[in-house]
Amino acid sequence: MLIFLLRRLLQACFVMIIISIISFAIQDRLGDPVRQMVGMTASPDERAQLRDELGLNEGFISQYWRFAKGALHGDLGTSYYYKESALTVILSKLPATLELAFCAILIVTLVATPCGVLAAIKPKHLLSRFLMVLSSIGLSVPIFIIAIFMVYFFAIEWNIAPSFGRGQTTHVFGIWESGLFTKDGLHHLLLPSLSLALALMPIFIRLIRAEMMEVLQSEYIRFAWSKGLSARRIYFIHALKNTMLPVITVGGIQAGTLVAYTILTETIFQWPGMGFLFMDAVSRVDTPLISAYLMVVGGMFVITNTLVDLIYGFVNPTVRFASHGL
Amino acid sequence: MKIIVTLACCLALISFNTAMANTLRIAFDADPVSLDPHEQLSEDTLQFSHLAFDPLLRWKQNGQFEPRLATKWQRLDDRTIRFFLRRNVTFQTGHAFSAKDVVYTIERLKKSPDFRAMFDIIESVSLVDDFTVDVHTTYTNPLLLNIMAYVFPMDKVFYQNHDQIIKYGESFASRNVSGTGPFILVNRELGSRLELKRNPDYWDKNSLGNVDRIIFTPIRADSTRLAALLSGDVDFIFPVSPIDIERTKRVAGIQLVTLPSTRILLLHMNQARRKELRDRRVRKAINLAINQPLIVKKILKGYATPAGQLSPDSFLGHINDLEPEYNLAKALELMKQAGYEKGFRISMMAPNNRYMNDEKVAQAIAAMLGKIHIKVDLKTLPKAQYFQEFDQRSADIMMLGWQSDTVDSNNLFEFIIACSDAKTGLGAYNASEYCQPSINDDIRQANREMNPEKRRRFLQQIERTLHKDSAIVPLYWQDLIWAAKDNVNIQDIVNDQNYPYLGDLFIEQK
């Protein structure tokens, strides 16, 4: 067990090093940060001096070494634009993104589960067919199209919900800027979370349907029928339980997609979260912030994956002895 | 606990709503990078300066100056102007405004990397008394007033001793403000929100301005910004993309205000990189092949003025008879004479998010050059990367937009077509590598000439030379396009430099 644990942790460290090299290496490709700091009329001399002060004229290796040393101490550099530690900036935007993602996941769970189950139980039903067609369309329509349509109808035409921003926020527990506790905040949350949910929904509906159909074929369900249990009990207790396990696993894998989608959603709705921050940093060539974001997101992935692996290792010992080729 | 918090918030919101008199919610495409007015010479910084500070004097819509913190000024001699300052003005900290603040501010401007180039001509500022200062220039300078419009007096007592200008890190001035302006900063979340309230002790009691609160949100995406206005979430936006203009016009309750600006868009043809471009006939042919009026009509929907020179109408150097010329037959003829009947390949770069529809314009130009058999390899880049390439002169043809800081032709010439000189910073944006000593002489003369008529002759001479040599391709002066709700009278407070004087903005009650 100990060997397995160490091996997994080593792998995680190795992956993080690769991520750090990549996120640092793209810095040169993004443009000139100095150009963003000075006006058009600043002389070339002024700009050269600023490059020196920022240490941009040193070699790649020495720059990376400085970055890596800082990263080990939890210092991912200072954002040029925000003028404070990049990690602090990212963490301050984290609540907005998490709330958005949480609400989207909530909507997906509450809507996709009954839809998927319905489509599995009554595959010939008109509503089920309609759902399947809709989810096929949903799979192939990009999220920004959905979002733009939502803004057009809900915000401009019908004036139901605001089109951008986060609205009123309150401090909860002293550290968390939350929009969940004000009417205005919830109002602002409506469109972005719905867009994000609609982007993730189709895949889950189809997945739940497929899993459920498979489960309904199994022996123990037939046995339950023959015992004379009520339909509701069979569908929603016995079958759904076993359906949800693989769905949750896939849900974990979808976390990456969720990150990608939050970047798009936040950009469209001017949602002040991490994704929006990242896009902003790219257009401002705020290189320390870009690297820090990639490190943080990469770190999240590595941690979740490692944890999932370890838990699997505990639950299913055979996994531990399968060689991982390290 | 949660319930109590929620209730408290609701109560706060209710009381807040009744207290809101005239709130103006603005969405522009960028926010100031710093609260320090001297950190960056850029449109957004200056827009903010006009809110939290007052200039000594400012431009009116008709192109004249109006006094602000300076009540009047008089020229003592060719190198000195005396400014008489307004009395009984206080900074938002309560400190009284006087001549010492003006001296302090100008000295700080002379240290700012971005403003230094402009303020270098000011040799010294001397205190005459508490409300009078004399500004001395190193040589006779006709543009001193234009430069003084950039002086927004800062509170010396407040800033002194911790007033370093730092571009990439913490500084006191980038987080704290004390000015005499119509608005006082309430809070700022960098990149997402800026909130100001009316300054109750503002000196200008004659102003019609009745905005009590400003909530400013930077929204970068054109469509999101417009949606925010159309859905009623904001009252005033800038800019509006040309493709959205027709639609916006059709919406009831929304007004569109446009002004021709002085920002010139042009193409540089690099003569150092390509021998073909050293031939005046080829440059002329390129000028003749590009149809500026068509670009303006089709791509910019008419929201620009086709240009045949650099100086817009209102500038001293403008020559009325220099119109953009389009003549394909003549262009082909010139190419033939120059020995390029079969044409040649050429590389071109343009930004894709800096100027109005810049990418589409660049594509149209590439197609137009195809008509005279010049095959253009066009590459468009985001501005962050484009200007890096521009500095390195990475392509044969490069697009540039320029707005004169001094509202005068000479600033255009100094940066765009003067012979490049890394020491003086002249010709920093001369990607033509075109160098005409006579133009440099004229620029120098025009910088010292006090007689407007003589000065006009120098500046017009430069425009003539440029036209004769076909040194560059002037394209158009782009318009500024704002949109707002009908009851917000923005047409009275916008100007062609895009510094809306929000302190004077009048909102009609609905």
Side-chain angles (χ1 to χ4, degrees):
Chain A
M1 184 63 214
L2 195 66
I3 303 268
F4 171 71
L5 196 106
L6 281 175
R7 193 195 281 157
R8 291 300 299 140
L9 287 179
L10 252 173
Q11 272 180 3
C13 288
F14 185 68
V15 171
M16 276 317 287
I17 288 169
I18 300 283
I19 289 175
S20 77
I21 289 173
I22 292 173
S23 65
F24 192 77
I26 59 165
Q27 291 197 353
D28 271 356
R29 294 269 145 292
L30 294 170
D32 184 4
V34 172
R35 266 267 169 217
Q36 308 302 306
M37 293 182 199
V38 298
M40 292 286 278
T41 47
S43 73
D45 282 357
E46 304 276 10
R47 294 208 297 266
Q49 195 189 332
L50 198 51
R51 286 190 74 82
D52 263 347
E53 285 172 26
L54 290 169
L56 294 172
N57 290 335
E58 296 167 27
F60 178 81
I61 302 290
S62 71
Q63 281 191 60
Y64 176 73
W65 187 238
R66 214 171 12 158
F67 171 75
K69 262 206 307 225
L72 284 177
H73 295 125
D75 167 25
L76 294 173
T78 305
S79 158
Y80 295 147
Y81 176 69
Y82 290 90
K83 302 182 175 180
E84 49 188 322
S85 138
L87 199 59
T88 316
V89 175
I90 290 172
L91 293 180
S92 72
K93 303 280 180 187
L94 188 65
T97 300
L98 285 183
E99 276 177 19
L100 176 62
F102 169 75
C103 288
I105 291 168
L106 200 68
I107 294 172
V108 170
T109 324
L110 293 179
V111 178
T113 316
C115 288
V117 171
L118 179 81
I121 299 169
K122 299 199 168 87
K124 297 262 191 301
H125 195 276
L126 206 62
L127 189 59
S128 319
R129 288 181 181 200
F130 176 67
L131 272 175
M132 290 335 287
V133 171
L134 212 58
S135 67
S136 304
I137 295 171
L139 272 177
S140 41
V141 176
I143 180 169
F144 51 88
I145 300 275
I146 295 175
I148 284 167
F149 267 96
M150 301 249 292
V151 170
Y152 182 72
F153 286 112
F154 286 81
I156 296 175
E157 292 294 311
W158 304 328
N159 254 330
I160 296 175
S163 60
F164 78 95
R166 224 183 144 196
Q168 203 69 29
T169 55
T170 46
H171 273 289
V172 188
F173 317 122
I175 45 163
W176 191 273
E177 276 268 332
S178 173
L180 295 177
F181 300 102
T182 60
K183 193 164 158 245
D184 189 43
L186 288 173
H187 211 168
H188 278 84
L189 195 60
L190 187 71
L191 287 188
S193 59
L194 210 54
S195 305
L196 195 54
L198 283 177
L200 294 167
M201 198 96 74
I203 204 160
F204 280 98
I205 292 182
R206 299 184 86 85
L207 190 72
I208 290 169
R209 173 176 175 267
E211 286 295 333
M212 186 87 173
M213 281 178 133
E214 204 170 314
V215 169
L216 287 181
Q217 300 304 325
S218 56
E219 291 287 336
Y220 79 98
I221 295 288
R222 278 200 215 135
F223 183 64
W225 282 119
S226 57
K227 260 185 13 184
L229 291 179
S230 72
R232 190 187 305 176
R233 211 180 148 72
I234 291 172
Y235 287 139
F236 291 96
I237 307 264
H238 293 273
L240 194 59
K241 250 190 208 163
N242 282 318
T243 301
M244 281 330 241
L245 270 175
V247 171
I248 288 168
T249 314
V250 171
I253 296 166
Q254 283 287 321
T257 325
L258 190 70
V259 170
Y261 282 158
T262 52
I263 292 182
L264 284 168
T265 319
E266 286 179 8
T267 308
I268 293 165
F269 291 101
Q270 197 76 15
W271 187 261
M274 279 168 60
F276 176 68
L277 179 82
F278 177 68
M279 289 305 282
D280 235 20
V282 169
S283 59
R284 286 206 178 86
V285 203
D286 193 344
T287 39
L289 195 55
I290 294 168
S291 301
Y293 175 87
L294 294 174
M295 291 286 284
V296 168
V297 172
M300 281 182 189
F301 271 81
V302 169
I303 290 168
T304 43
N305 281 335
T306 311
L307 277 179
V308 168
D309 275 5
L310 291 179
I311 291 166
Y312 261 67
F314 278 116
V315 175
N316 182 358
T318 54
V319 176
R320 297 207 296 252
F321 301 112
S323 89
H324 274 280
L326 217 173
Chain B
M1 181 64 215
K2 228 180 262 177
I3 293 170
I4 293 171
V5 170
T6 317
L7 276 176
C9 287
C10 288
L11 278 175
L13 267 177
I14 292 163
S15 57
F16 192 55
N17 274 335
T18 50
M20 273 202 295
N22 268 334
T23 300
L24 178 76
R25 291 156 307 164
I26 311 179
F28 281 12
D29 56 347
D31 62 337
V33 295
S34 166
L35 300 181
D36 181 345
H38 300 167
E39 194 172 309
Q40 191 180 64
L41 174 49
S42 65
E43 211 166 69
D44 11 282
T45 301
L46 288 158
Q47 282 166 354
F48 175 75
S49 295
H50 277 284
L51 300 180
F53 299 86
D54 278 302
L56 287 179
L57 60 154
R58 72 181 183 190
W59 294 93
K60 284 199 291 198
Q61 274 182 340
N62 62 5
Q64 302 296 316
F65 285 119
E66 69 176 327
R68 295 305 285 170
L69 285 186
T71 48
K72 57 182 200 290
W73 44 88
Q74 69 187 86
R75 201 168 262 292
L76 298 185
D77 58 51
D78 275 353
R79 289 174 46 186
T80 316
I81 296 187
R82 174 166 289 181
F83 288 89
F84 299 93
L85 305 174
R86 196 172 293 279
R87 291 159 193 262
N88 309 324
V89 176
T90 50
F91 289 101
Q92 57 185 61
T93 46
H95 304 146
F97 159 74
S98 73
K100 67 175 187 333
D101 300 298
V102 176
V103 175
Y104 168 78
T105 306
I106 294 175
E107 278 166 3
R108 190 167 188 262
L109 279 160
K110 285 178 72 67
K111 284 184 249 163
S112 155
D114 274 35
F115 287 86
R116 197 183 293 167
M118 214 181 338
F119 280 85
D120 261 351
I121 63 129
I122 293 177
E123 189 181 43
S124 64
V125 190
S126 51
L127 267 166
V128 179
D129 61 35
D130 270 354
F131 293 97
T132 319
V133 290
D134 285 347
V135 178
H136 313 277
T137 54
T138 43
Y139 51 82
T140 56
N141 189 296
L143 298 176
L144 184 57
L145 284 181
N146 305 36
I147 292 166
M148 293 305 280
Y150 284 94
V151 178
F152 294 82
M154 295 166 78
D155 186 344
K156 180 177 179 179
V157 182
F158 180 79
Y159 286 103
Q160 217 176 3
N161 303 330
H162 36 58
D163 58 359
Q164 324 75 325
I165 299 168
I166 304 173
K167 283 192 173 282
Y168 48 84
E170 265 307 338
S171 73
F172 176 80
S174 70
R175 300 254 183 229
N176 302 284
V177 177
S178 171
T180 59
F183 294 98
I184 296 174
L185 187 78
V186 179
N187 92 43
R188 166 176 186 242
E189 288 166 42
L190 198 53
S192 52
R193 192 184 165 96
L194 195 70
E195 203 180 314
L196 305 109
K197 67 172 200 282
R198 186 89 192 176
N199 177 356
D201 309 324
Y202 192 51
W203 58 266
D204 189 358
K205 301 292 178 215
N206 302 332
S207 164
L208 289 174
N210 66 349
V211 175
D212 302 308
R213 230 166 123 247
I214 293 178
I215 297 171
F216 175 95
T217 315
I219 301 184
R220 207 179 283 262
D222 281 343
S223 54
T224 308
R225 200 181 321 116
L226 184 64
L229 176 72
L230 298 183
S231 64
D233 295 329
V234 298
D235 312 313
F236 178 21
I237 63 169
F238 174 86
V240 182
S241 154
I243 39 175
D244 298 323
I245 287 173
E246 282 314 307
R247 213 191 119 211
T248 313
K249 273 186 173 163
R250 285 201 303 270
V251 180
I254 300 284
Q255 58 169 332
L256 206 69
V257 175
T258 61
L259 277 180
S261 83
T262 57
R263 185 187 293 279
I264 178 80
L265 267 283
L266 63 126
L267 297 179
H268 273 305
M269 298 172 280
N270 196 315
Q271 302 181 23
R273 282 174 62 102
R274 299 295 296 260
K275 69 173 193 321
E276 293 91 338
L277 295 176
R278 261 169 255 156
D279 189 323
R280 199 187 64 83
R281 288 166 300 188
V282 174
R283 297 200 302 266
K284 180 84 181 156
I286 290 177
N287 261 295
L288 288 171
I290 292 173
N291 187 345
Q292 287 95 335
L294 188 72
I295 292 175
V296 167
K297 191 170 144 219
K298 290 283 180 212
I299 301 176
L300 303 172
K301 311 288 177 205
Y303 289 93
T305 314
Q309 58 194 316
L310 291 178
S311 306
D313 227 349
S314 54
F315 284 15
L316 213 49
H318 184 82
I319 303 173
N320 283 334
D321 62 349
L322 287 186
E323 289 290 332
E325 200 182 342
Y326 170 68
N327 187 335
L328 204 53
K330 199 166 150 193
L332 284 163
E333 181 55 35
L334 281 167
M335 287 289 279
K336 196 169 160 182
Q337 283 176 19
Y340 298 111
E341 200 179 352
K342 293 209 168 55
F344 48 86
R345 285 195 92 84
I346 207 165
S347 62
M348 173 174 169
M349 276 189 191
N352 58 18
N353 61 352
R354 177 64 189 88
Y355 312 112
M356 213 202 277
N357 283 4
D358 39 17
E359 186 171 28
K360 288 201 185 86
V361 169
Q363 287 163 346
I365 287 165
M368 285 169 180
L369 293 183
K371 294 236 171 74
I372 55 170
H373 313 301
I374 296 178
K375 292 186 188 49
V376 178
D377 300 320
L378 174 65
K379 188 173 175 190
T380 59
L381 308 151
K383 62 181 176 217
Q385 289 150 50
Y386 177 73
F387 284 102
Q388 204 175 6
E389 302 286 356
F390 191 96
D391 287 342
Q392 294 164 358
R393 313 280 187 257
S394 308
D396 305 333
I397 295 186
M398 296 197 117
M399 188 193 268
L400 177 69
W402 196 266
Q403 182 155 2
S404 167
D405 294 315
T406 49
V407 197
D408 178 78
S409 301
N410 225 11
N411 174 278
L412 302 170
F413 302 149
E414 282 171 347
F415 280 99
I416 299 173
I417 49 138
C419 304
S420 296
D421 181 347
K423 263 203 210 64
T424 55
L426 276 179
Y429 290 85
N430 182 348
S432 299
E433 312 273 348
Y434 164 83
C435 180
Q436 179 65 274
S438 77
I439 286 187
N440 271 37
D441 288 342
D442 286 337
I443 290 176
R444 206 167 319 124
Q445 301 270 21
N447 263 337
R448 288 170 164 71
E449 180 54 63
M450 297 302 288
N451 176 330
E453 262 325 297
K454 282 187 184 159
R455 198 161 178 266
R456 179 193 303 273
R457 274 208 294 278
F458 283 122
L459 296 172
Q460 291 193 339
Q461 201 163 302
I462 298 176
E463 288 286 7
R464 281 262 178 247
T465 313
L466 283 181
H467 183 253
K468 197 170 87 273
D469 280 351
S470 297
I472 46 160
V473 186
L475 297 171
Y476 49 82
W477 298 284
Q478 76 179 33
D479 284 4
L480 295 162
I481 311 169
W482 299 268
K485 288 182 182 160
D486 270 347
N487 62 328
V488 182
N489 289 326
I490 57 168
Q491 65 280 0
D492 306 326
I493 56 115
V494 295
N495 47 41
D496 63 5
Q497 298 181 28
N498 198 14
Y499 312 139
Y501 299 148
L502 297 173
D504 300 337
L505 177 62
F506 180 70
I507 300 182
E508 285 164 33
Q509 299 307 323
K510 275 189 175 168

